[in-house]
Amino acid sequence: MKKKIVSVMMTAVVAAATVFSAAVPAFAADTVKIGVYEPASGDNGAGGKQETLGIQYANSETPTVEIDGKEYNVELDIVDNESSTDKGPSAASTLVSDGVSIVLGSYGSGVSIAASDIFKDGGVPALGVTCTNPQVTQGNTHYFRICFLDPFQGTVLANFAKDKFEAKKAYVLTKLGDDYSAGLGHYFTKAFEDLGGEVVEETFPDGNSDFTSYITSAKNAGADVFFAPTSTEAAALIIEQAAAQGLDLPLLAGDTWDSNVILKAAEGKDVQVYVTTFYQEGGNEDFDNGMKEFINSDSKNLANNGGDDTIAAVSAMGYDAYYVALEALKAAGSADPAKVNEALWDVTYEGVCGNVQFDSENGDAQRDTAYVKTANTETGAWDFVGEQGVE
């Protein structure tokens, strides 16, 4: 009888230990995990790989962090959300199960929004790097972000269209079902109309590869600018087909078009491409030199950066996000996600893309400037146009 009681007690102890270990992050000795929730495939795979490269470079530069007087190795736990709002939550669940202290990502607002409740229910804070849709952080206390938001970016682009091109009519093309595309299109439209402009809007479905009818519509509408906040995959097709049809309207876009994929699509073609973004190469010499060396040091890094060492703004933002995460871990004095979440509110960090300080309402970084650059179709590089705020 006593043996049976002991056996039952031991079973209970094992069960309790199992529950406890499931509730507490499972860290290897002297290691803290930072989750990287980014697309490596799908429509936004190119941008996701470049954002991840910035995080990886920062980790290679600073692979440890001191927490409460003890040094820990920092391990990056990288998952592919496949640019998919359907598959993203599963990738997010993997990070929660792996016991990460904080998550960085994602490139793409839609997949960020789709994973939000997974992180919330798992008790893990997330730090958005370049997901610009307001819904990512709205109404929650666990998702933060270091980039500017689409209401700001849309207004910046509307002001730029008016100031640079004296535009009176804008053609706006967005993707159906894409939170980023629809959101930025909406905020540009509102700001442009508030400035007295007229907007012609159209949408295209997922999987579309023929944009000729939309380009024709923009021509027939008598638009002064063509605004298309889309993925890099769609952007390359738009550029190629716009050049083929002799579209002489400036092509405007937001941060997703800041990619060497766009530069390669525009090179040698008679097109005008202007984008708003978070960083301009040349803004920080030490970062630029180190990032280029990191890209060129490994064939996989070079491939993930699109085959050359052009520095994408999302890489610079990923770099900053990693260091903000380290600051949160140090401020928390713990790898416990709940303590890291609480510490994030008061973190400040001076990064290569500017100062990061979160507002007390949504956990959004307070930013008031965007960089505007244009694709040089002769050199295949970005030319800096200037900084642009809102009026």
Side-chain angles (χ1 to χ4, degrees):
M1 182 67 177
K2 287 182 179 178
K3 288 183 178 179
K4 184 176 181 180
I5 292 172
V6 170
S7 176
V8 171
M9 289 177 67
M10 288 299 293
T11 301
V13 169
V14 171
T18 301
V19 171
F20 181 77
S21 66
V24 176
F27 301 107
D30 303 329
T31 297
V32 60
K33 290 184 181 181
I34 293 179
V36 181
Y37 174 71
E38 294 283 358
S41 57
D43 286 354
N44 289 318
K49 288 175 183 176
Q50 289 179 315
E51 193 158 291
T52 300
L53 276 173
I55 298 169
Q56 291 172 313
Y57 168 50
N59 178 244
S60 73
E61 185 180 67
T62 310
T64 63
V65 61
E66 186 176 305
I67 302 174
D68 195 26
K70 182 178 179 179
E71 189 171 60
Y72 289 79
N73 293 316
V74 181
E75 177 185 330
L76 297 181
D77 189 350
I78 303 173
V79 297
D80 178 11
N81 60 41
E82 302 182 53
S83 309
S84 170
T85 55
D86 293 330
K87 297 174 182 177
S90 177
S93 293
T94 297
L95 293 176
V96 173
S97 297
D98 287 350
V100 301
S101 295
I102 182 172
V103 171
L104 306 181
S106 172
Y107 183 101
S109 295
V111 285
S112 300
I113 295 166
S116 183
D117 283 347
I118 302 297
F119 298 136
K120 177 184 176 182
D121 294 343
V124 178
L127 181 61
V129 184
T130 60
C131 42
T132 51
N133 189 291
Q135 294 179 62
V136 173
T137 58
Q138 240 168 32
N140 68 65
T141 58
H142 66 280
Y143 224 124
F144 298 73
R145 102 178 87 205
I146 66 168
C147 59
F148 51 60
L149 275 66
D150 285 334
F152 169 76
Q153 183 172 211
T155 304
V156 163
L157 283 157
N159 276 271
F160 180 72
K162 176 177 176 290
D163 296 344
K164 173 72 174 177
F165 304 108
E166 298 181 352
K168 295 180 174 60
K169 182 182 286 189
Y171 178 83
V172 177
L173 180 64
T174 58
K175 180 181 176 180
L176 280 169
D178 184 322
D179 291 311
Y180 168 81
S181 186
L184 186 50
H186 165 75
Y187 292 114
F188 173 89
T189 296
K190 182 179 183 303
F192 193 75
E193 289 177 342
D194 286 347
L195 291 169
E198 180 184 349
V199 174
V200 176
E201 299 177 77
E202 284 195 273
T203 59
F204 66 91
D206 185 32
N208 182 75
S209 60
D210 186 355
F211 292 92
T212 55
S213 63
Y214 303 106
I215 293 165
T216 299
S217 292
K219 284 182 176 180
N220 293 340
D224 300 305
V225 294
F226 188 116
F227 179 53
T230 67
S231 69
T232 53
E233 186 176 67
L237 294 170
I238 290 170
I239 291 169
E240 290 166 3
Q241 292 168 28
Q245 291 193 62
L247 184 70
D248 59 0
L249 305 181
L251 298 172
L252 308 185
D255 54 285
T256 55
W257 280 40
D258 177 22
S259 167
N260 47 8
V261 172
I262 305 306
L263 291 175
K264 288 172 183 175
E267 190 171 5
K269 297 182 178 67
D270 186 14
V271 290
Q272 303 174 66
V273 177
Y274 293 85
V275 303
T276 47
T277 190
F278 315 103
Y279 179 78
Q280 166 65 18
E281 187 173 328
N284 185 297
E285 186 177 359
D286 289 341
F287 167 75
D288 289 352
N289 291 339
M291 187 72 209
K292 285 179 179 292
E293 183 178 345
F294 179 74
I295 291 168
N296 289 312
S297 68
D298 186 279
S299 59
K300 183 178 179 181
N301 291 349
L302 192 63
N304 285 343
N305 199 55
D308 62 37
D309 63 5
T310 301
I311 296 175
V314 295
S315 297
M317 291 290 283
Y319 179 87
D320 280 356
Y322 177 83
Y323 282 104
V324 171
L326 295 193
E327 290 301 310
L329 286 162
K330 290 188 283 187
S334 170
D336 180 354
K339 293 181 179 179
V340 176
N341 196 142
E342 187 60 32
L344 267 168
W345 292 99
D346 296 317
V347 166
T348 60
Y349 179 73
E350 188 64 40
V352 297
C353 299
N355 182 257
V356 176
Q357 183 173 355
F358 302 108
D359 66 37
S360 59
E361 183 179 359
N362 292 310
D364 291 321
Q366 302 174 54
R367 295 187 182 271
D368 59 3
T369 303
Y371 299 97
V372 181
K373 49 192 183 183
T374 185
N376 188 316
T377 58
E378 294 182 3
T379 65
W382 290 112
D383 288 343
F384 182 56
V385 175
E387 295 183 10
Q388 181 88 23
V390 299
E391 296 177 358

